[in-house]
Each structure stands twice: as C-alpha cells, then as structure tokens.
Amino acid sequence: MSRPVPNPGILDIAPYTPGKSPVAEPGRKVFKLSANETPFGPSPKAIEAFKRVADHLEDYPEGTSRVLREAIGRSFGLDPNRIICGAGSDEILNLLAHTYLGQGDEAISTTHGFLVYPIATMAVGARNVIAQETNLTCNVDAILKAVTPKTKLVWLANPNNPTGTYVPFDEVKRLRAGLPSHVLLVLDAAYCDYVSRNDYEMGIELVATTENTVVTHTFSKIHGLAALRIGWMFGPEHIIDAVNRIRGPFNVSTPAMYAAIAAIEDTAHQAMSKQFTETWRNLLTEEIGKLGLKVTPSVANFVLIHFPTEGKTSDAADAFLTKRGLVLRALKNYGLPHALRMTIGTEEANRLVVEGLRDFMAGK
C-alpha cells in the first residue's frame, strides 16, 4: 500500500527534545530547572496588557506587528522597518533557512550549538556542517576553516545554549570579516540580556554596518513570555523584505504583541532579574565547584555542571535530584552525556540543588 513519503532528509533529522517537565506528587514540591525559564515570571505590566486584550479575541492581529516593532525600535534605537517579529525566535530561524538555504547548500553551526539550527538546515535539504569548539566555546578559526563554496549561512548563538559561553565582539567581527560576502551570519542573542561583560555586544552594530548579518532575540527568557511564543530579528532591509514574503500574515498574536510591549518597557523588572541571575550564577559556580564538580563559566541564566564518567555520573545525579523534586536538563542530545544544565531558579531552588548535589557526592 502506498502512502505519502517525506522529502529526502526529513527522517534523518533528530526531533528536538525539550527539557522534561516535572510531574508534581502529593507532598513534594517540584522545581523545574530544565528549560531556562525565569523564576520571576513576566512583568506584572505584561500580564495586565495581556488581560486587556481578552475582550477582542475575535479580531485578527495587525499583520506586521507594527506596534511591537516600534516598541523594540524605541528600546534599542533601531529602525522598525528593519525588524521582523515571529512566533518565538525559532520561527524566524526556520524562516531564514527557508529563505536562504536549499538542496546542496551548507550551513555551519558549532559542536554544541542550539539544536534548532541543524533541524532548520536539514528541513530544507541543506547540509549541517559542524565546526569544532574550543573549551565549549565557539572557535572562529574553526568556522572559517569549515567554509566551502557551498556555504550559505552560519548559525552562532552568542551566548551559547547549552554551554553558557560567549564570543567577544571583536571575535564576532573577525568572523564576519573572514566569511564570504554572500554568506549570511545569524547571531542568535536569546540570552544577551544576562551578559555583563565589557567585550560583549549582541550584534546590532554589525547588522547596522553590513548587508549580510542579522541578529535574533526572544521574549522567552528575561521577559518571561515563553508561553506566548514571541521573538524578533533586526536585519538589513533586503533580508527583512525577503523573509517577510514567506512569513505568515498573522504569525504573532495580539495578546503576545501587547504583553511584549509592556515587558520590554519595564526596564526595572529586567534589571532586577539580571542582578539576581548574576549573583546566583557566581554563587552556584563557586558552591558547586567546592563539591569537586566542574562548572563551565557562564554568562547566561544557567550553569553547565560536569560529572565523572563513572561512579557519580550525570545520570545518577539526575535521578537523585529528580527524586527530590529538582529537575535539571540532561544533555545527551547535545553531545554532552556527562553534564547537566541547571537553570538559575529561585533562591530556594538554588540552595536545594547545592544541598542535593552535596548529599549526592557524599553518597547520602
């Protein structure tokens, strides 16, 4: 019996596996630290804006997300006409792949880059090429060495998920200068709001001064709007025009739009979240390190914890912590089978993880 057959390469794609969501049991408090969600939730002003739209859910959204693009433009000093919004930055990444990649093309990502990159690449029949990292950090020279005549796009998460590492802006500029002019450089800045390094820049300057660079961002992290699926991209006019031609006309809902406007304008909420994250990122790195476990230096809202390959393994630690209601992210699908990624949660959750890891390492 015949049946529809997927396009070549589709069944070679490993499905994206999200961080597991805990199932609460009677008498046990559960903390989900597996998806890099903010422990503070969205700005109360964003919640109010979301609720205000409820009386008009029968109306289609404004098709270009104009009011949101204007709010983003005000916040970052950008031309709203060079901004496109999407159902999460994931949608925009896929739109870029559909616009600029095809059968026989190649796109480059790094060893432990975001898993959406190979999915978006392979979904359009292109080949995903891996550039090796150095110390879990993007190596610009390795990317440049991987370029071939078939290369059309380079994906770079900066900061990177799941490692938490970043590339200084000078290195990003060196990467752009070393790439052929027809190669699109995609700078994914989902976690940029948590970075406090003087040598970091999310990429706006590079986009503003080149014709072949874009930067994407999301409202899912520091803004706490992950459930609404909303992100945006800043790029050259010709790229925005091309992507808009295949973007769905109502891809951003009205509640998401107005919640995002309120969120981006509540700078006090963002500053509070950033300061808390930085404080606990340092504390967790120090306290977990004291237990004999290596923690990769992070600039994001999570830390990457490495475990021995035998004995006190990451699998054993994951099971131990889960029994205590502490759910971290296993990373086998990221090529990091001996590590767990921990989202920085509430003070209570953070302290309980340190206590749990201490007991785990002590064999209690």
Side-chain angles (χ1 to χ4, degrees):
M1 182 176 67
S2 64
R3 61 182 184 182
V5 177
N7 287 332
I10 295 295
L11 296 183
D12 295 329
I13 299 173
Y16 182 84
T17 305
K20 60 185 177 182
S21 295
V23 178
E25 296 180 4
R28 188 182 79 175
K29 194 171 183 179
V30 175
F31 296 93
K32 181 186 176 188
L33 304 171
S34 59
N36 297 341
E37 298 153 336
T38 172
F40 299 109
S43 159
K45 296 176 181 178
I47 297 174
E48 291 173 12
F50 178 87
K51 291 178 177 178
R52 282 198 300 270
V53 182
D55 293 336
H56 300 281
L57 297 184
E58 73 279 10
D59 298 333
Y60 279 105
E62 190 280 314
T64 71
S65 304
R66 177 182 55 81
V67 290
L68 176 55
R69 289 187 293 106
E70 290 173 350
I72 295 168
R74 288 192 299 271
S75 294
F76 287 88
L78 306 176
D79 179 358
N81 293 321
R82 294 180 59 179
I83 297 170
I84 189 171
C85 296
S89 54
D90 289 359
E91 184 196 24
I92 296 173
L93 299 176
N94 279 281
L95 287 172
L96 287 169
H98 278 276
T99 305
Y100 291 99
L101 294 173
Q103 290 283 344
D105 292 335
E106 293 178 352
I108 299 172
S109 59
T110 64
T111 313
H112 305 295
F114 187 34
L115 289 180
V116 167
Y117 305 152
I119 293 174
T121 298
M122 297 170 69
V124 295
R127 176 171 173 257
N128 182 59
V129 177
I130 300 296
Q132 295 300 311
E133 298 171 355
T134 301
N135 298 324
L136 301 180
T137 305
C138 163
N139 183 317
V140 168
D141 292 316
I143 292 178
L144 294 176
K145 187 177 180 180
V147 173
T148 74
K150 296 181 179 180
T151 305
K152 296 293 178 61
L153 188 150
V154 171
W155 307 105
L156 178 62
N158 197 30
N160 186 55
N161 171 33
T163 62
T165 55
Y166 79 104
V167 182
F169 189 47
D170 283 348
E171 280 293 278
V172 177
K173 288 190 288 186
R174 186 168 74 85
L175 172 61
R176 176 66 274 172
L179 291 171
S181 60
H182 70 275
V183 174
L184 176 62
L185 175 60
V186 180
L187 301 174
D188 180 352
Y191 296 91
C192 69
D193 300 298
Y194 296 106
V195 185
S196 299
R197 300 294 180 90
N198 292 333
D199 58 354
Y200 175 83
E201 210 272 332
M202 67 183 292
I204 285 174
E205 176 190 322
L206 203 54
V207 176
T209 56
T210 66
E211 290 291 308
N212 43 22
T213 310
V214 298
V215 61
T216 65
H217 200 12
T218 181
F219 283 90
S220 296
K221 304 308 174 186
I222 203 166
H223 298 298
L225 298 178
L228 296 186
R229 309 310 305 126
I230 185 161
W232 58 276
M233 176 177 76
F234 175 57
E237 289 183 7
H238 68 95
I239 291 179
I240 298 299
D241 174 64
V243 175
N244 263 326
R245 291 169 187 264
I246 63 168
R247 177 184 60 82
F250 308 112
N251 62 327
V252 178
S253 73
T254 303
M257 229 183 290
Y258 283 93
I261 292 169
I264 203 170
E265 291 177 349
D266 191 347
T267 55
H269 188 79
Q270 297 167 51
M272 175 275 296
S273 181
K274 180 177 182 178
Q275 182 57 57
F276 177 93
T277 300
E278 186 169 353
T279 298
W280 274 99
R281 188 170 61 211
N282 294 336
L283 283 171
L284 287 166
T285 301
E286 180 181 354
E287 292 301 315
I288 295 173
K290 289 178 181 177
L291 304 177
L293 297 169
K294 179 184 175 183
V295 180
T296 296
S298 172
V299 296
N301 69 331
F302 56 86
V303 291
L304 184 65
I305 309 166
H306 301 268
F307 293 83
T309 57
E310 297 180 359
K312 301 294 183 180
T313 64
S314 60
D315 284 344
D318 194 21
F320 184 92
L321 293 173
T322 298
K323 286 183 180 178
R324 294 194 174 193
L326 303 166
V327 180
L328 277 61
R329 176 69 183 267
L331 297 168
K332 290 181 175 64
N333 56 342
Y334 273 100
L336 294 164
H338 306 299
L340 296 176
R341 189 191 67 194
M342 173 194 170
T343 305
I344 296 168
T346 61
E347 180 173 346
E348 179 184 9
N350 298 336
R351 293 190 186 281
L352 286 173
V353 170
V354 173
E355 178 184 320
L357 287 173
R358 184 180 294 117
D359 289 348
F360 170 73
M361 296 301 289
K364 293 184 180 180

